[in-house]
Amino acid sequence: MYKAAHEMLLECYKITSLLPQEEKYVLVSQIRRASLSVKLNIAEGSSRKSPSERKRFYEVARSSVVEIDSAMEAVVDLKYVTLEKLQKLGVLLNRCFSMLCNMTGGNKGPGNL
């Protein structure tokens, strides 16, 4: 799970480097923070001994995956990046979301990628 989150983080940074300069403090910052949140919450959750504590960190990570998915929808709608350029990220988002759902008991997937 951690490896998938790391790959997703790198892909988010790659995609956000394509966004215009005026988005540096809005979309770029938000997407990068959310992608880092996924990785860090997985890492911190895995270090917790209590199942309920682990689950809480994994739920936060899962919410950040949904946040990235939603932000990428805006990126496409604003015509900053094409859906084709988001294919790899879409696969990684779905993989991370699925793994996190398995860890938390959730069952719904991100909607747009």
Side-chain angles (χ1 to χ4, degrees), residues 86-97 113:
L86 295 180
Q87 290 297 316
K88 181 177 179 182
L89 180 58
V91 169
L92 293 167
L93 286 170
N94 284 322
R95 184 181 306 151
C96 287
F97 192 88
L113 293 178

Side-chain angles (χ1 to χ4, degrees), residues 35-102:
S35 65
L36 187 58
S37 173
V38 174
K39 183 178 176 179
L40 294 178
N41 277 291
I42 289 170
E44 191 164 355
S46 68
S47 73
R48 300 300 172 145
K49 293 183 183 192
S50 160
S52 62
E53 275 192 284
R54 274 194 305 274
K55 182 179 177 184
R56 184 173 60 89
F57 281 97
Y58 295 153
E59 286 172 342
V60 172
R62 186 178 64 192
S63 294
S64 293
V65 170
V66 173
E67 184 179 343
I68 295 164
D69 183 57
S70 182
M72 288 301 167
E73 179 182 25
V75 165
V76 170
D77 289 348
L78 292 166
K79 300 189 183 341
Y80 292 150
V81 177
T82 64
L83 271 177
E84 291 74 32
K85 289 194 181 205
L86 295 180
Q87 290 297 316
K88 181 177 179 182
L89 180 58
V91 169
L92 293 167
L93 286 170
N94 284 322
R95 184 181 306 151
C96 287
F97 192 88
S98 178
M99 288 180 195
L100 289 163
C101 281
N102 288 336

